[in-house]
Amino acid sequence: MGLGKKTIDDENYAGKRVLVRCDFNVPMKDGVITNDNRINAALPTIKKLINDGAKVILCSHLGKPKNGPEAKFSLAPVAVRLSEKLGQPVTFADDDTVVGENAKAAVATMGNGDVVLLQNTRFRKEETKNEPAFSEELASLADAYVDDAFGSCHRAHCSTAGVTDYVKDTAVGYLMEKEIKYLGNAVNDPERPFTAILGGAKVADKLNVISNLLEKVDTLIIGGGMAYTFLKAQGHDVGNSLCELDQLEYAKEMIEKAKELNVSFLLPVDNVAADKFDAEANTQIVGDDIPAGWMALDIGPKTTELYANAIKSAKTVVWNGPMGCFEMPNFAKGTIAVAEAMAKLEGATTIIGGGDSAAACNQLGFGDKMTHISTGGGASLEFLEGKDLPGVVAADDK
């Protein structure tokens, strides 16, 4: 694996108490889990540990509890869903303090191959501040620690980083390993041509990503709301489209940087413009100038063709961020076309960088056609920025 981290395959955990940081931050509505992708993604690691005969202690955050425990953020429904999927009971240790009497008693009576789930780690305010006392409490339950929560590994919290100060034996799980392998290799050692596609609303969210990727890619494709800041920087009219005036200088610099590095930098040549931000809006196809009173909400047919052709010749493609307001059917064509072009590639590595692009891919039914769909939006972005992620750094090297 690219980053030389110890993985769970490097050892047998028989009889050991293993604390596993999972990403069970699943969407819930009225106490019901509406999408269990993240639970499914954690299963291979959990099953490996059960098969080893480990005592498997799972922990995760869920949502953003403001001031300590909130019933609606309890992990109880996750324990139920997990036991269904594993085909064995999962004991839920319901302590508001996370490491409380229930947790200690549950762990003390575990047999090999048993599974316990702790309460939401963010019920403790210390979690997000990475305070040593809580890290030490978590560590007191375990002989070994496994980080399998890529979606949280860009945060230095007690359960993702701090705990490793108190547990000697640390490794990454299968999900983390896969994320590091695909995202790490794509960015640091891609098979060429390497094409990156960046969309989404704001340039400001992707400042460092754009700059870092320009040094690594052969082609950079820009879509979504952020495209109009670049078009404006080139002197085009953008009407009422999203545009960050404070990023115009940066946009100019990036266009220059692409020229210097001989990177093909693609911006929309036509757009789907709407007279208001609404699924029922009147629309028209316009060029790279947006008329006054209109806003661009998707890339147009010529751009779609241009982008699809650029993707066709690539051997590595990383995509983060939709091409338009894909939630509204009128403005989803660009995003669908990009997903389709990637899905059709053969013998190429195709990576979706979490967040909205992952949601779009799965909704459109292209999920199984991609090499890798990242489970972490923010974490995958920071990876593409070239940052060190605390949860990755904290794991033992081989």
Side-chain angles (χ1 to χ4, degrees):
M1 151 172 160
L3 295 183
K5 289 290 169 188
K6 198 172 94 178
T7 79
I8 52 174
D9 281 336
D10 292 326
E11 86 172 86
N12 186 305
Y13 290 93
K16 285 191 174 174
R17 298 171 304 158
V18 186
L19 179 69
V20 188
R21 176 53 157 98
C22 298
D23 182 2
F24 293 143
N25 186 23
V26 290
M28 303 256 264
K29 197 171 182 193
D30 306 322
V32 179
I33 297 167
T34 54
N35 178 325
D36 56 14
N37 284 348
R38 286 181 162 171
I39 294 174
N40 293 332
L43 296 175
T45 291
I46 297 169
K47 285 176 177 164
K48 190 278 187 204
L49 295 169
I50 291 171
N51 292 339
D52 274 4
K55 296 169 178 173
V56 188
I57 306 157
L58 306 173
C59 69
S60 174
H61 78 285
L62 173 67
K64 293 182 175 167
K66 287 282 177 285
N67 297 306
E70 286 181 59
K72 66 176 177 181
F73 293 123
S74 169
L75 282 171
V78 173
V80 175
R81 185 70 55 94
L82 257 176
S83 65
E84 286 164 12
K85 288 182 182 287
L86 290 169
Q88 70 178 70
V90 171
T91 305
F92 181 54
D94 192 358
D95 296 289
D96 283 351
T97 56
V98 187
V99 184
E101 292 313 310
N102 295 327
K104 288 173 187 166
V107 171
T109 56
M110 286 179 93
N112 293 354
D114 285 354
V115 182
V116 167
L117 173 64
L118 304 180
Q119 184 52 285
N120 190 339
T121 54
R122 287 195 189 166
F123 279 9
R124 290 285 291 270
K125 289 183 187 167
E126 298 96 320
E127 160 77 329
T128 53
K129 301 187 179 108
N130 198 14
E131 288 181 10
F134 181 42
S135 297
E136 203 167 354
E137 281 176 51
L138 284 167
S140 72
L141 298 175
D143 307 305
Y145 170 81
V146 170
D147 191 352
D148 209 27
F150 182 74
S152 306
C153 76
H154 58 312
R155 305 268 181 252
H157 291 172
C158 293
S159 66
T160 59
V163 63
T164 62
D165 292 339
Y166 302 96
V167 180
K168 284 206 170 60
D169 180 349
T170 65
V172 295
Y174 292 135
L175 183 62
M176 279 282 278
E177 181 183 9
K178 198 174 157 203
E179 295 273 13
I180 295 169
K181 178 181 149 194
Y182 283 115
L183 285 165
N185 289 356
V187 175
N188 299 318
D189 189 19
E191 196 183 339
R192 297 190 177 280
F194 176 21
T195 296
I197 307 155
L198 293 178
K202 290 189 157 166
V203 176
D205 296 342
K206 301 208 167 82
L207 293 177
N208 299 335
V209 181
I210 296 167
S211 188
N212 189 46
L213 284 176
L214 279 175
E215 290 165 22
K216 309 197 183 259
V217 301
D218 302 293
T219 302
L220 184 60
I221 294 174
I222 303 278
M226 62 195 257
Y228 305 102
T229 301
F230 284 96
L231 288 176
K232 176 108 177 150
Q234 288 183 323
H236 292 289
D237 292 320
V238 295
N240 291 350
S241 311
L242 267 182
C243 182
E244 295 157 273
L245 297 175
D246 57 341
Q247 300 297 345
L248 291 178
E249 277 313 306
Y250 175 82
K252 283 179 193 158
E253 279 168 36
M254 290 303 112
I255 292 166
E256 273 312 301
K257 183 170 178 173
K259 275 191 192 127
E260 283 162 26
L261 294 169
N262 211 10
V263 170
S264 169
F265 192 93
L266 302 182
L267 288 165
V269 292
D270 64 344
N271 298 277
V272 180
D275 58 357
K276 55 178 187 282
F277 186 75
D278 190 325
E280 306 300 314
N282 297 310
T283 62
Q284 59 169 327
I285 307 287
V286 299
D288 46 14
D289 284 298
I290 318 297
W294 291 72
M295 60 181 75
L297 295 182
D298 194 12
I299 55 175
K302 283 183 185 148
T303 307
T304 301
E305 199 177 328
L306 175 75
Y307 289 6
N309 283 333
I311 292 165
K312 265 181 205 157
S313 58
K315 281 281 176 233
T316 306
V317 185
V318 174
W319 176 28
N320 187 296
M323 296 292 101
C325 295
F326 78 99
E327 301 83 358
M328 302 184 208
N330 278 351
F331 311 114
K333 286 194 180 110
T335 301
I336 294 170
V338 164
E340 252 174 345
M342 286 179 71
K344 280 185 188 147
L345 281 178
E346 286 182 17
T349 302
T350 48
I351 299 162
I352 311 297
D356 288 340
S357 333
C361 255
N362 290 324
Q363 274 168 28
L364 301 167
F366 294 118
D368 56 346
K369 303 276 197 302
M370 304 299 174
T371 313
H372 181 62
I373 296 188
S374 178
T375 51
S380 63
L381 268 183
E382 293 198 14
F383 220 123
L384 297 177
E385 275 180 40
K387 277 190 184 169
D388 284 335
L389 307 183
V392 177
V393 175
D396 286 350
D397 294 326
K398 280 209 197 272

